[in-house]
Amino acid sequence: MWKTAVDRERKTVEFQQIAGNLAQTDNDSDGDGDGDGTVDLEKKSEEFEKILEISKEERDRIQRVQVIDRAAAAIAAARDIIREKKSADKDINSHESTGGEMDAQQGAGTQSRSILVSPSESSANGVPGPDFWSWSPPPSIDGNSDNSSDVQKVRKSSDTPLTIPVAMKERSVDFLSIPFESKLLDTNNSSPIPPLQSLAEVEEVQVSESILEMPFKKEEERELGVQFSAHAAEAAHALEKDDELSSYGVTAGGSRCWRETGIEQRPDGVICRWTMIRGVSADQEVEWQEKFWEAADDFGYKELGSEKSGRDATGNVWREFWRESMRQESGLMHLEKTADKWGKNGKGDEWQEKWWEHYGASGQAEKWAHKWCSIDPTTSLEAGHAHVWHERWGEKYDGHGGSTKYTDKWAERCEGDGWAKWGDKWDENFDLNGHGVKQGEAWWEGKHGEQWNRTWGERHNGSGWVHKYGKSSSGEHWDTHAQQDTWYERFPHFGFYHCFENSVQLREVQKPSERDEQ
């Protein structure tokens, strides 16, 4: 290899000599160039011989260091370029926003549509556009500022109906009631301390936890599906009609409303178009915001979402977030849905629900939910009731017949100088051959550290016999085998194709450029 490099270098020097003879008439200069070329070649040969004197391992180590140094320099240069670009974009956006505010003040009643695509300033959960909790309504026409009202500027949120923007959220469906302690522990005793129970009662708990609870969860999932469809239709309608609405208006009841729209580009290249309506009631005691958006890119990603927030003078705050999206990964389509509802009143009572669903075209599916609510710990309660309650559940399907499910509930009650806690949970894990385990636990903990628990389990191996076992801290114990069929949910009752068929509005999402061409 070195000989080839030397020959190539010698030919290069000879070519330079010929070129020099054609360009110059000074033969002495040509001779000097020949000497310089020969000396340079000999010098390189000596340097190469010195390199060969170093061990191969050391040469490899030096080369690796050089590669790392060059890569680090390239990354640093790229970061500098990105940083300079972001700084320039911020200056442009600052200039555009200042000009936009002046135009809005001079041209009242005109639409505040953004024509240029600006860099995204979305919040951590991907919501585009300006934030509601840092917003204050501008002064009214008669000179009275809404800032003088008693509206609490709390930094959280939930929901307000679109047709009645100043109405409080209905809680008949979303309100989470805290269950009785006695119901969770499956005991007829009103005392919070669980009594000893027979083996028959223990087996009854096993069935009720894992099977009887499933219809309720499925009904809850169906209700959530209806809500997702309603949200999608509402978002699509709001985005379709955003060109027909003015930037400011007053309702028949005296509520003032403001409208803004915009187009943003996220760091990953996704283009997001959003529309937002803000309002304040006639008595200036309720402020609310509704935001809808759609997003897409050139690689098949589509998104549809909404966020509704509000607050009033009594300290009530609420927020409802919803989003569904679709994307391509390794040639397969994936659908994802998520929702987050939260509310809090002036007394400190608070509740929240979170949902997440994912469906893959290969048959994989995963779902989970977390709900909780709490009331003032000083609230006087009847025996068996709690001040805090949680519920988690989830399920995952591998698309080949294997699945995992779990449910976990627990409650807490303030008893003056301490907290009493109780709960129950169960889970099941099966492979594609129907082999798996079902297990659960009911537990209780007193404010002084007293504890009680009961665990149970079932092992299924496809033989037609089930191994049942369990024990409790009160001395119960059982270990037996029963002839019993194995049942578990191999595939989700609501899978990818159901979700795809229901996502009509999501499938119709387009990039703003494609929409303008039509």
Side-chain angles (χ1 to χ4, degrees), residues 461-503:
N461 58 14
S463 64
W465 288 81
V466 178
H467 180 201
K468 298 185 178 183
Y469 52 90
K471 62 180 180 178
S472 72
S473 58
S474 55
E476 296 169 318
H477 180 271
W478 65 97
D479 191 338
T480 183
H481 290 76
Q483 191 170 6
Q484 178 180 321
D485 293 333
T486 297
W487 183 92
Y488 74 100
E489 201 165 8
R490 296 169 56 88
F491 301 97
H493 62 278
F494 186 90
F496 171 81
Y497 293 102
H498 298 93
C499 182
F500 182 81
E501 292 175 359
N502 287 354
S503 304

Side-chain angles (χ1 to χ4, degrees), residues 166-346:
V166 297
M168 289 298 296
K169 177 179 175 63
E170 293 292 338
R171 307 181 70 173
S172 58
V173 174
D174 300 312
F175 181 72
L176 301 178
S177 59
I178 299 180
F180 290 104
E181 178 180 21
S182 57
K183 180 179 179 181
L184 282 177
L185 293 174
D186 194 21
T187 174
N188 296 324
N189 194 330
S190 61
S191 171
I193 300 179
L196 298 178
Q197 297 184 7
S198 65
L199 176 60
E201 290 174 325
V202 173
E203 293 179 344
E204 182 180 356
V205 171
Q206 297 176 25
V207 176
S208 63
E209 292 301 333
S210 60
I211 298 179
L212 298 183
E213 191 174 321
M214 296 304 297
F216 171 75
K217 185 172 73 67
K218 290 182 178 180
E219 180 64 28
E220 195 173 24
E221 287 187 79
R222 282 193 291 268
E223 180 182 337
L224 181 66
V226 173
Q227 294 182 12
F228 268 115
S229 299
H231 282 301
E234 183 182 21
H237 177 76
L239 292 166
E240 182 181 358
K241 300 296 182 181
D242 64 348
D243 292 331
E244 304 176 7
L245 303 176
S246 61
S247 60
Y248 175 77
V250 180
T251 66
S255 299
R256 295 187 295 141
C257 303
W258 296 264
R259 174 180 165 272
E260 297 181 33
T261 63
I263 300 177
E264 299 179 355
Q265 182 174 4
R266 298 174 180 172
D268 57 1
V270 174
I271 304 298
C272 179
R273 183 173 70 97
W274 55 270
T275 182
M276 177 183 67
I277 300 177
R278 287 170 167 172
V280 59
S281 62
D283 56 7
Q284 302 183 8
E285 291 193 355
V286 179
E287 297 173 2
W288 57 275
Q289 173 180 289
E290 293 183 346
K291 188 183 298 181
F292 306 91
W293 69 88
E294 64 179 10
D297 66 5
D298 295 325
F299 305 100
Y301 178 81
K302 297 183 179 182
E303 179 182 317
L304 199 60
S306 68
E307 182 190 51
K308 302 179 181 181
S309 310
R311 57 197 172 203
D312 64 18
T314 62
N316 296 318
V317 290
W318 57 94
R319 174 181 179 268
E320 178 177 326
F321 167 80
W322 161 84
R323 179 177 61 201
E324 63 177 354
S325 61
M326 60 189 304
R327 66 182 187 275
Q328 295 277 351
E329 287 186 8
S330 302
L332 295 176
M333 182 177 295
H334 294 260
L335 298 170
E336 185 174 307
K337 295 186 177 184
T338 181
D340 186 355
K341 300 180 180 180
W342 175 87
K344 186 176 182 180
N345 61 22

Side-chain angles (χ1 to χ4, degrees), residues 373-390:
C373 62
S374 65
I375 60 177
D376 186 355
T378 61
T379 304
S380 179
L381 299 177
E382 298 180 1
H385 289 260
H387 294 94
V388 182
W389 179 68
H390 289 262

